[in-house]
Amino acid sequence: MSEAQTQEPAAKSRGWLIWLPLGLFVLLIVIAAFSLANPSDRVIPSKLVGQSLPEFDLPPAIEGSAGLKQADFADGKPKLLNVFASWCLPCIVEAPQLDQLAKSGVTIHGIAIRDRPDDVQAFLARNGNPYTRIGADDISAVQLSLGSSGVPETFVIDGEGKIVHQHIGEIRPEAVPLILEKLEEAGR
Amino acid sequence: MIAEIGLGLLWFAAALSVMQLGLGIMILRDRESASASAFAATLRPIAVIQGVMVALSFLCLIQIFWVTDLSVKLVATNSHSLKPWLYKLAGAWGNHEGSMLLWVTVMAVSGALVAMLERRISQAMMIATLAAQAFVSIGFYAFLLLSSNPFERLVPTPPEGAGLNPLLQDPGLAFHPPTLYFGYVGLSIAFSFAVGALVTREVGPTFARAMRPWVLGAWIFLTLGITAGSYWAYYELGWGGWWFWDPVENASLMPWLAATALLHSVTVLANRGALKAWTVMLAVVAFSMSMVGTFLVRSGVLTSVHAFAVDPERGSFILVLLAIYIGGALALFGLRASTVQEGAKFQFLSREAALVANNLLLMGILAIVLMGTLYPLVTEASGTKVSIGPPYFNPASAIFFIPMVLIMAVGPMLRWRKSDKAQLTAAAAAPLLAGAVALLLVVIFGSGAGILPTLGLALAATLAVASVMPLFRSKTNRASLPIWGMVVAHLGVAVTMAGMASESAFTKETLVASAPGESHQVADWTITLLAVEPVAGRNWTALEARLSAQRGEGEAIELAPQARMFSSPPTNTSEAALLTRWDGQLYAVLGERAPDGRWQLRLWWKPFVPLIWYGGIMIGFGGLLALIGRLFQLRRTRPIRKVEQASEPTGQTVPA
């Protein structure tokens, strides 16, 4: 047995074996290219989609406005719940879309995350105020209980206070039709 | 202004790399002409200047982060004026653009070092290597300048930055990415050497010796990077585990596996003139794995807790780079490998054969990890989402890992070229005895340990004894530094294995809802919740639990796990409290508050778990000893190198 000469692996059969790495690599590239062309849904959806809003009761985020509690969503009409903050840059990007939605008759409630009343006031003065009610969530407690992990995030809530859709990140113009569609579905 | 200077320097460096490639090709095509030899002398200085330019550009980026210049988009989206200075600095590379600039910097500086220091290889191979390095760099420059400009301005300037991912605000992690990058990019040098050797048909011991320190250096950084990353995940994520087979973890493990194989085969080539084609291929594979890892992490095709959120456009860019470089190198390999002469012969029972077997087993593990990482992509194409975790990876990699450890134990005791059975028996006796004793002890005393952990402990004992045997093999001459390096690194593997096996076999866990004043038991520790109080740091607030931990009748020690909340961006992290004792670690995490006011506490007693990371450090330290030994040896033997080379069975082809 010890007489058997062992060659280096790649040298054993110098033929197709040499091209094997390239073949495997091409396969890898094909898989990767395919996954790139078909991007997967990478957002982590809230586990609460399809369930009722958790119980909460937030104080008002700006002076003279109404606070926000879970019961505010149970009046039979679908609404949007927008999680935002004055220090959040993408929130500025979505402000025009929220304004447009509010003007077309959608009720939007906001939750300001870890914010100061003055800052929220200034933010709304600069970017418009689409909100009917704004609750202040100083410790992100409600945000976390909603299963939201960042700002901004927007939830479509049906008339009974059930979450039917979650939009993660800022609402860009192209996302508005889907949100309207979900609102309409929620109203049915 | 600094941002514009940085960008200008980057363009300048990119132009230099184009020049470096163009000149290199020109010289190689017509080596005899007068202009070629005139230009040949300019290639090294070009590489050096390129390295300096990029380094300065990177310094510009650091300066911008240091002063928190919010008019630069990258700073505004990744930093915050209130951030501690260390994380302001780390912010420079803790994001996609900055880390790509760091990548290019390390790559160009390494190229400059090769140009300045390397004197062994022929001029033709040096030119080919520098051209190959420039070729790879160009792609990354293009990537940075065309799709990931780190110096882009933001109009209007925001009043405050968005912050850095709080999970990354940890001293360990501030230095984790650069560590891994040094590893990845060190492998790019090995790759360039391989391409240079293929182009000039000089695949031989000289090539292996030139490449070896770079492989060793890269491997040390990868080892330490992975070890640090694992420890970070262990204490920062708060789930008590140290390895999750997360795609990002796998992205760093795969090049490490390839580099480990390369490290061993390059030694065979340097010392014995064997394994030529195999070594070249491993050099290509090792860097490929760095790039594949980068692609997986950056393209967004895989979901991971700590992947950079990057758009598919950038993913496509890296994929194209990947296709050009790796595809090109493998095609070159296919064309040229058949012309690489077969190396020195060796027999079935020899140290070379043991190294080949281990190389193949390492590649087997690599294949397992690669398949497991890519499998979700394949199934997703058919519409099903799957997540592959420890239930696949652990047993599948163990199939290769267990025989590998056994061969690792006896391999170093075998002779080069030809060994005999008597030698094998002598080498295997003591380690196998140690393994059998360990197995017996675990079966008798370690009730309930699973099959794999039990086997792991026995193998660790076998390997530990076997690792130190080479020190006693030759009584006549003292063991050299590289031998010491091997001993320490192999012993480190045994230590890590013992830690892993012990952790998975003997960990005790308790999950309780606790009110202040209540006590709980985990292993032989009594943990009492004293209070939960809010505390504030510079850019975070936290709830901190004060726990008192008492072992038996011993002194009570206070622990303070925190649930931290960072304000921008709002993120919650868990700061586990760790109490290290010689025989293990107590691990406490503060969880959520139950509606009835009690606090969730997770408590673990993990016997000997720190061995996992001590072993990792030992492995890296072993590599360092070998590297120092190699560099020192090099200096010492330089005058007689010619003689030594001539007497070797190199089988080297004459450069055309």
Side-chain angles (χ1 to χ4, degrees), chain B residues 223 226-227 230-231 234 240-245 253 256-257 365 394 397-398 401 404-405 449-460 463 492-507 606-617 619:
Chain B
T223 306
I226 292 171
T227 305
S230 155
Y231 191 62
Y234 170 76
W242 46 270
W243 192 263
F244 196 63
W245 299 104
L253 180 66
W256 184 85
L257 290 167
I365 301 178
N394 287 347
S397 55
F401 190 71
M404 192 182 85
V405 171
I451 294 175
L452 274 182
T454 307
L455 218 52
L457 284 168
L459 277 175
L463 182 59
V493 175
V495 169
T496 294
M497 265 179 80
M500 291 172 181
S502 166
E503 194 264 354
S504 74
F506 307 121
T507 290
K606 294 175 170 291
F608 298 105
V609 69
L611 291 184
I612 295 173
W613 303 290
Y614 294 151
I617 293 168
I619 298 171

Side-chain angles (χ1 to χ4, degrees), chain A residues 93-104:
Chain A
V93 176
E94 76 172 4
Q97 281 70 252
L98 287 181
D99 246 7
Q100 189 200 330
L101 283 165
K103 287 204 178 96
S104 66

Side-chain angles (χ1 to χ4, degrees), chain B residues 140-157:
Chain B
F140 285 91
Y141 283 123
F143 186 34
L144 262 173
L145 292 168
L146 303 180
S147 99
S148 315
N149 176 11
F151 296 107
E152 193 181 332
R153 294 281 188 185
L154 183 66
V155 181
T157 300

